[in-house]
Amino acid sequence: MTEIKPDWIAVDWGTTNLRVWAMSASGTVLGQGSSDQGMGQLSPADFEPALLALVSGWLGNGRIPVIACGMIGARQGWVEAPYTSVPCPATSTGFTPVATDHPDLDVYVIPGIKQMQPADVMRGEETQIAGFLALNPGWDGVLCLPGTHSKWVHISANEIVSFQTFMTGELFAILTGHSVLQHSVGDDGWDDDQFSQAVQDTLARPERIAAGLFTLRAETLLLDLSPQAARARLSGQLIGAELAAARPYWLGQNVAVIGAGHIAQHYVNALALQAVPATLSKGEKVTLAGLTAAYRSLKG
Amino acid sequence: MTEIKPDWIAVDWGTTNLRVWAMSASGTVLGQGSSDQGMGQLSPADFEPALLALVSGWLGNGRIPVIACGMIGARQGWVEAPYTSVPCPATSTGFTPVATDHPDLDVYVIPGIKQMQPADVMRGEETQIAGFLALNPGWDGVLCLPGTHSKWVHISANEIVSFQTFMTGELFAILTGHSVLQHSVGDDGWDDDQFSQAVQDTLARPERIAAGLFTLRAETLLLDLSPQAARARLSGQLIGAELAAARPYWLGQNVAVIGAGHIAQHYVNALALQAVPATLSKGEKVTLAGLTAAYRSLKG
């Protein structure tokens, strides 16, 4: 077994998951790990042990920086990292140090970003934004970050100008997990035509959004709507509702989607239906680029 | 203790609750009972015992009619009572008999109503509709029945012409019980101004519906939005979204709201903001009137 001796450790610590990477100074990934020890289930005394459970094998060679982003910086997290206010530089600064017991850990948490009007917050996405701009210097436009809480972010001259959060992913999860639609919507499967039609219908008549949900249940009972079709239609309705409300963000703009898997592709497809060609960047890649940019700013 | 000897028994058996009334032939309530033995938690063998647990003290004087409405007539209920299709008379007919072991029970289930385009179904509300029309003979207009699944129903010449279901009550329940908004929205309390403003804002710009949800969470974090204000605002956003989609039902129409408690009053208030004066009828009263009308039709 070859020993892993990182120069620093990158950490993405969200509400439900903890992901870590052993990094070289130049930004190469030497090792990685993950667990379900997300911020949401940890008490204050649990954070350091949860981190050590994944990274202790990388320690023992002196004090090294650990750069963390995500909900770990919330009030209920390891340390509260105060929000930066928009407009602000897209590259994070002002990291909050964390006191630790282990002598080799030199932990810093990247601050989230807030907007007062309309009120909004992000924690974690600011690091993906910084990473995307590190990978695409000088890029101007609008970033779309799908997820439990999707974000639309207006970037200009390397600054975050404004942003807006949508609960689309969480709405899909609670409707399919806790509402009467759980009996209609499948756990997997898809139907491109149903998705596209639902996106288009919702954007054409957004005032009808609330009327389409129970129809899925009724079509299951009366018309044998398939679970796959219902899944794609519900997703199209919710993403369509998000696009209807986010129209000022994407209409006539240069749009890049940051994310992983099917969900991000669905957003790209939905935007294509509006004649908006969006690029797609992998979420993990930009997260690591953002943590690397933060490491360099800390060292610089 | 005076013995209760009903001529018939009225039953409202929904997904979560069972309510029974001992009735005289003329429609007087002689006694009542209720339990949490809703259809949703019962297996086929459980239905008769669940009913007897509430009504056995009223039996022993020969076979009497038991008239039941609600989800008890669904495929997963005691007996499947096939849907009647719209357009149809507002007074239910075609009751489905249930085989029972107890010699005194002569059980009938009132059919639900279905609509094929757009697909929709109801079970239980058809009895409230029949009851409302029994109490208000010749009434024409639109009925609004708020609840877990709100219904808007177009009544003309004593017929149900069309209807539309909204998941408004269930959306409120899952957003406040299972989403990040559970940390922002109070279990009780209210703010009339927040409710009214949210209704008006949502109706003025329905395409922005999806944008308002996470704002509640952000305002809690950044602006100390109170749990009471957040509760009223979320309710206003969701009822506003329902009104936006149901506009063809209420605009310029004679509207009556059927329901109980605060929720029904919120709908009346939201409609008043649109200059639509709606009357308010108690849900239990119209349910009993509808079950009584069904009893008379059965005997007649």
Side-chain angles (χ1 to χ4, degrees):
Chain A
M1 179 174 131
T2 308
E3 193 182 0
I4 294 174
K5 290 171 122 180
D7 295 308
W8 64 287
I9 295 172
V11 178
D12 179 10
W13 208 331
T15 302
T16 51
N17 289 293
L18 165 59
R19 295 187 300 162
V20 300
W21 295 266
M23 304 293 292
S24 76
S26 65
T28 303
V29 175
L30 308 175
Q32 57 188 35
S34 65
S35 78
D36 63 355
Q37 301 284 294
M39 179 279 280
Q41 58 181 300
L42 300 179
S43 301
D46 299 333
F47 290 106
E48 189 168 335
L51 179 63
L52 285 170
L54 292 177
V55 309
S56 60
W58 303 339
L59 304 178
N61 302 291
R63 195 168 174 83
I64 62 171
V66 177
I67 317 283
C69 69
M71 288 300 286
I72 191 67
R75 195 166 302 171
Q76 301 79 20
W78 199 355
V79 66
E80 184 172 2
Y83 295 110
T84 304
S85 290
V86 293
C88 62
T91 306
S92 304
T93 55
F95 312 128
T96 301
V98 186
T100 59
D101 292 327
H102 195 292
D104 289 354
L105 293 177
D106 191 21
V107 179
Y108 297 88
V109 174
I110 297 175
I113 294 178
K114 70 180 175 186
Q115 173 179 279
M116 299 307 287
Q117 179 57 33
D120 215 326
V121 292
M122 67 168 76
R123 284 199 188 274
E125 293 89 354
E126 76 293 328
T127 302
Q128 295 193 305
I129 295 164
F132 179 85
L133 288 170
L135 296 170
N136 301 276
W139 189 91
D140 266 11
V142 169
L143 293 175
C144 167
L145 300 95
T148 302
H149 297 158
S150 303
K151 310 278 179 188
W152 292 80
V153 187
H154 181 199
I155 305 289
S156 179
N158 218 39
E159 284 211 332
I160 298 175
V161 177
S162 66
F163 65 101
Q164 172 93 50
T165 302
F166 296 88
M167 291 177 57
T168 308
E170 189 163 27
L171 272 171
F172 187 87
I174 61 179
L175 281 168
T176 57
H178 298 285
S179 89
V180 71
L181 297 186
Q182 69 185 288
H183 306 300
S184 292
V185 177
D187 290 335
D188 46 34
W190 195 254
D191 182 320
D192 277 328
D193 290 341
Q194 289 274 354
F195 175 78
S196 299
Q197 193 63 51
V199 169
Q200 297 295 69
D201 287 350
T202 305
L203 275 160
R205 299 185 63 192
E207 75 281 4
R208 297 273 306 150
I209 285 168
L213 294 177
F214 189 78
T215 304
L216 296 172
R217 180 66 188 143
E219 287 197 17
T220 301
L221 293 169
L222 302 182
L223 302 170
D224 289 324
L225 179 70
S226 77
Q228 297 75 31
R231 180 177 184 80
R233 179 120 63 95
L234 177 61
S235 178
Q237 289 170 339
L238 296 180
I239 291 177
E242 178 178 333
L243 289 185
R247 195 185 289 268
Y249 272 92
W250 54 259
L251 191 66
Q253 295 288 330
N254 180 31
V255 178
V257 176
I258 296 175
H262 296 311
I263 302 291
Q265 188 62 52
H266 295 330
Y267 276 78
V268 170
N269 295 348
L271 286 164
L273 290 168
Q274 314 325 313
V276 174
T279 61
L280 178 56
S281 299
K282 296 275 191 213
E284 180 170 317
K285 184 180 172 186
V286 296
T287 300
L288 270 179
L291 289 163
T292 301
Y295 168 72
R296 286 179 182 149
S297 127
L298 186 74
K299 300 308 284 184
Chain B
M1 179 174 133
T2 308
E3 192 181 2
I4 294 174
K5 291 170 120 180
D7 295 307
W8 64 287
I9 295 173
V11 177
D12 179 10
W13 206 331
T15 302
T16 52
N17 290 293
L18 165 59
R19 294 187 300 163
V20 300
W21 296 266
M23 304 293 292
S24 76
S26 65
T28 303
V29 175
L30 307 176
Q32 57 189 34
S34 66
S35 78
D36 62 356
Q37 302 284 296
M39 179 278 280
Q41 58 181 301
L42 299 180
S43 301
D46 299 332
F47 290 106
E48 188 168 338
L51 179 63
L52 285 170
L54 291 177
V55 309
S56 59
W58 302 339
L59 304 177
N61 302 293
R63 195 167 175 83
I64 62 171
V66 177
I67 317 282
C69 69
M71 289 301 286
I72 192 67
R75 195 165 303 170
Q76 301 78 22
W78 197 357
V79 66
E80 184 172 4
Y83 295 110
T84 304
S85 290
V86 292
C88 61
T91 306
S92 304
T93 53
F95 311 127
T96 300
V98 185
T100 58
D101 293 327
H102 196 291
D104 289 355
L105 293 178
D106 190 21
V107 180
Y108 296 89
V109 174
I110 297 175
I113 294 177
K114 70 180 175 186
Q115 173 179 279
M116 298 308 286
Q117 179 57 34
D120 215 327
V121 292
M122 68 169 74
R123 282 199 188 276
E125 294 88 353
E126 76 292 328
T127 302
Q128 295 193 306
I129 295 164
F132 180 86
L133 289 169
L135 296 170
N136 301 276
W139 189 91
D140 266 11
V142 169
L143 293 174
C144 167
L145 299 96
T148 302
H149 297 160
S150 303
K151 312 277 179 189
W152 290 80
V153 187
H154 182 199
I155 305 289
S156 178
N158 217 38
E159 285 212 330
I160 298 175
V161 177
S162 66
F163 65 102
Q164 171 94 52
T165 303
F166 295 88
M167 291 175 58
T168 308
E170 189 163 28
L171 272 171
F172 187 86
I174 61 178
L175 281 168
T176 58
H178 297 285
S179 88
V180 70
L181 296 186
Q182 69 185 288
H183 306 300
S184 292
V185 177
D187 290 336
D188 46 34
W190 195 255
D191 182 320
D192 277 328
D193 290 342
Q194 288 275 354
F195 175 77
S196 299
Q197 192 64 50
V199 169
Q200 296 295 69
D201 288 351
T202 305
L203 276 161
R205 300 185 61 192
E207 75 282 2
R208 298 274 304 151
I209 285 167
L213 296 177
F214 190 78
T215 304
L216 296 172
R217 179 66 187 142
E219 287 197 17
T220 302
L221 293 169
L222 302 181
L223 302 171
D224 289 324
L225 179 70
S226 77
Q228 297 75 30
R231 181 177 184 79
R233 180 120 62 94
L234 177 62
S235 179
Q237 289 171 339
L238 296 180
I239 292 176
E242 178 178 334
L243 290 185
R247 194 185 291 266
Y249 273 91
W250 53 260
L251 191 66
Q253 296 288 330
N254 180 31
V255 178
V257 176
I258 297 175
H262 296 310
I263 302 292
Q265 188 61 51
H266 295 329
Y267 276 78
V268 170
N269 295 349
L271 285 163
L273 291 169
Q274 315 323 313
V276 174
T279 60
L280 178 56
S281 297
K282 296 275 191 214
E284 180 170 317
K285 184 179 173 188
V286 295
T287 299
L288 270 178
L291 287 163
T292 301
Y295 167 73
R296 286 178 182 150
S297 124
L298 185 74
K299 300 307 284 184

